[in-house]
Amino acid sequence: MEGSGRSPGTTFSTTINTKKTQTLGLLMEQQCHIPPGEFQTFGEPVPACNNISPVVFQGCALTMSRQALLLHWLGILSLTYNTLGSESSVPTPISCTTRGADLSEQRQLVLCPANCTQRRLSVFGSGVYASVSSVCGSAIHRGVIGVSGGPLKVHRLQGKKNYLSSYAHGIQSQSLSTWTTSFTVARVMSAPMEVSSQTSSSAVSASGPEQKKKKNLKKVPSQGNRDCQVDIAVLLDGSYNIGQRRFNLQKNFVSKLALMLKIGTNGPHLGVVQASDSPRTEFYLTNHTIPKAAIFAIKEIAYIGGNTNTGKAISHTVRNFFSLDSGVRRGHPRIVVVFVDGWPSDNLEEAAMIARESGINVFVVSVAKPMAEEMSMVTDQDYMKKAVCKDNGFFTFSMPSWFNTNKYVKPLAQKLCSIDQMLCSKTCYNSVRLGFLIDGSSSVGDGNFRLVLDFLASIARSFDISDVGARVGAIQYTYDQRLEFGFNDYTNKEAALRALRAIPYMSGGTATGDAINYAVQKLFREHWAGAGRKFLIIITDGQSYDDVRDPALAAKKEGITVFSVGVAWAPIDDLRAMASEPKDSHTFFTREFTGLPQFQQPLVRGICRDFTEAN
């Protein structure tokens, strides 16, 4: 470049498209306080560059010659372009009040001005922000930039529910129930570079490997540990008893636990409630479904202080945290992990009973148990036994202190992922294997057969059918038997209901005894039947041509509970012979097919009653 004073052998490209030159002008105007429109490629020396963002513009001298200054900025622009790649590598200047909704690109590099904290900024959410939020305000709240402003990456996302409020880095964000679009902010990860008028070819080309290395860092986000699909509420001890220092150590332990669990969209979900005088939900199950986001959110939790009202926090979690609106998943085990530093201030027994009745597994992690001289201060010395799901040793966990806790992370994570031992989560609604044995004989008729299918679908709808929940299967029979679908064919409730209603009518004779034997062999004994309490609902409208007593007895010996439903000419004696004990509560009869809906609720209650008594 002529007149640049560059030494022979150095190279520097000055070919920059119009858009990037215009953007450079905007950067100069904003960062060097040049009046709009006065930046020129050639002309008089520009004013001194004051208050330049150290991340974007480094080494700007207070006075520069025309060519040196031009070379300086062109060097920065060239290096930024090489470092960040061909995507919009030059940050777009925005104002303090620019909202996420105002940005047009899915991923965009922007530049925030300094001193945005001096303005009133609207920020909604924590980590993930509603698109009505100020981008710069969100970036300061997240810790991506400071009060001096600077560049950041903005990534637009779909909308969500439960944007949580929090205070961080001088910004108080607000809560919002739902919004149509969201965004996240992140730091610009390019390494700082010193740029001078003597930029060499080696310095420019060095951005090549840097760019390649950056591309190699892109990974597909983990979907989580599929073998540990549980919903976990962590109850932090935020009392005066624990203090600020141990509270921070507690947060560190929970962060390590989140990493060990491998939380993710298709794995464990984790949320946090802080217990003190009054419980406070810090974030819900679906607010942060990758470890990095959850760990950042945990780090940002502010210590409350107050009494250790653990029972109050458990009740709050059962009633308010585990709801479909808050992201809880149907059919997945629900767990509350209660951290107690010392001992609780209130009673846990009633809250724990509510949790058990709601199908929630309560774990208690006791840290620094009270010493002998302190035991007189403990209101209920058996609080751990009363609080947990079951007093069998599995649901309690102890650590001597908050120091050197790394060795306890893995054992606790393994317990929380032991789904088969979550005794309290195995409710009748999410743990049964429900088989339907349907009479398709000629006496039923196609119209009545449709009424039967609607009735059975109403029963199935009452249960949480999923890959980790309840399952349904169906067999139609005449003299022959046909497996319509097994327990493993439909792990989605709506799909299962559609399949049930779509069963085509067979027509033929009636051999109920053979059909029961077929159900035991083909529906309940197959390896894909899986674990879960087994129930068989037999529905028939007439006399069977074979014996039903011995096949029904064999089914009961296999652990299958039988409900018999008769219509029209079905013999009461046969119905009672097939049904499990007590006969009166497992036998149903109506003269008309239109009378079947009256049995829906009694059948569902009967299944849950039998399930509860057996567990």
Side-chain angles (χ1 to χ4, degrees), residues 523-535:
L523 191 61
F524 289 101
R525 273 193 185 167
E526 292 295 329
H527 68 279
W528 36 257
R533 185 74 191 278
K534 296 173 284 188
F535 294 88

Side-chain angles (χ1 to χ4, degrees), residues 13 40 85-86 119 136 157 160 205 230 257 349 358 406 417 425 451 472 510-511 518 535 555 567 577 591 610:
S13 173
Q40 299 176 13
S86 59
R119 307 188 64 166
C136 297
L157 304 169
K160 71 182 199 72
S205 63
V230 295
L257 183 64
E349 188 171 8
S358 302
N406 286 347
C417 289
S425 63
L451 293 177
V472 295
T510 307
Y518 183 86
F535 294 88
V567 187
R591 284 292 179 189
D610 291 347

Side-chain angles (χ1 to χ4, degrees), residues 157-418:
L157 304 169
Q158 292 181 346
K160 71 182 199 72
K161 297 180 179 179
N162 298 317
Y163 294 90
L164 298 179
S165 64
S166 64
Y167 180 83
H169 304 103
I171 300 288
Q172 175 65 58
S173 71
Q174 303 174 59
S175 61
L176 191 63
S177 59
T178 184
W179 198 254
T180 53
T181 53
S182 311
F183 68 90
T184 58
V185 291
R187 290 185 176 89
V188 176
M189 299 306 293
S190 56
M193 296 182 181
E194 290 190 10
V195 183
S196 70
S197 60
Q198 297 300 315
T199 305
S200 68
S201 57
S202 61
V204 175
S205 63
S207 64
E210 190 70 28
Q211 179 182 354
K212 185 176 180 181
K213 182 178 180 181
K214 186 174 181 180
K215 286 185 178 179
N216 290 339
L217 288 175
K218 293 182 180 178
K219 296 180 180 179
V220 177
S222 171
Q223 296 298 303
N225 180 5
R226 292 177 180 268
D227 295 327
C228 183
Q229 295 190 33
V230 295
D231 288 345
I232 304 172
V234 173
L235 265 61
L236 296 178
D237 186 338
S239 66
Y240 289 134
N241 189 58
I242 193 171
Q244 180 70 64
R245 183 188 181 196
R246 295 204 302 272
F247 181 78
N248 290 339
L249 293 173
Q250 178 184 211
K251 291 196 296 181
N252 290 341
F253 180 85
V254 175
S255 296
K256 294 171 187 174
L257 183 64
L259 272 176
M260 182 64 68
L261 288 168
K262 298 179 182 177
I263 64 172
T265 306
N266 296 324
H269 287 185
L270 184 142
V272 176
V273 175
Q274 186 174 173
S276 61
D277 283 326
S278 296
R280 183 176 74 189
T281 300
E282 302 295 350
F283 59 88
Y284 290 96
L285 294 165
T286 54
N287 288 139
H288 307 289
T289 53
I290 58 173
K292 183 178 179 181
I295 289 169
F296 187 89
I298 292 167
K299 181 182 178 182
E300 293 294 304
I301 294 173
Y303 171 56
I304 299 177
N307 291 320
T308 316
N309 288 337
T310 308
K312 192 174 181 180
I314 293 174
S315 297
H316 165 84
T317 305
V318 172
R319 294 190 174 101
N320 303 313
F321 185 92
F322 286 112
S323 68
L324 293 177
D325 291 339
S326 299
V328 71
R329 295 172 289 184
R330 285 187 177 274
H332 289 63
R334 300 167 189 179
I335 299 171
V336 174
V337 183
V338 182
F339 287 94
V340 179
D341 185 291
W343 60 89
S345 305
D346 61 349
N347 188 281
L348 274 61
E349 188 171 8
E350 182 178 353
M353 182 180 66
I354 295 171
R356 285 191 291 270
E357 290 176 351
S358 302
I360 296 171
N361 300 271
V362 177
F363 284 76
V364 174
V365 180
S366 174
V367 185
K369 288 183 178 180
M371 295 180 288
E373 58 271 23
E374 296 175 322
M375 291 302 294
S376 60
M377 303 169 62
V378 182
T379 306
D380 187 353
Q381 297 184 10
D382 291 328
Y383 76 89
M384 290 183 67
K385 294 180 180 180
K386 296 176 181 178
V388 295
C389 166
K390 192 175 183 66
D391 182 25
N392 60 359
F394 178 76
F395 294 93
T396 54
F397 198 84
S398 296
M399 298 189 297
S401 74
W402 289 110
F403 300 96
N404 302 316
T405 57
N406 286 347
K407 62 183 178 182
Y408 298 107
V409 175
K410 186 176 181 179
L412 180 56
Q414 288 173 336
K415 280 195 172 191
L416 299 180
C417 289
S418 300

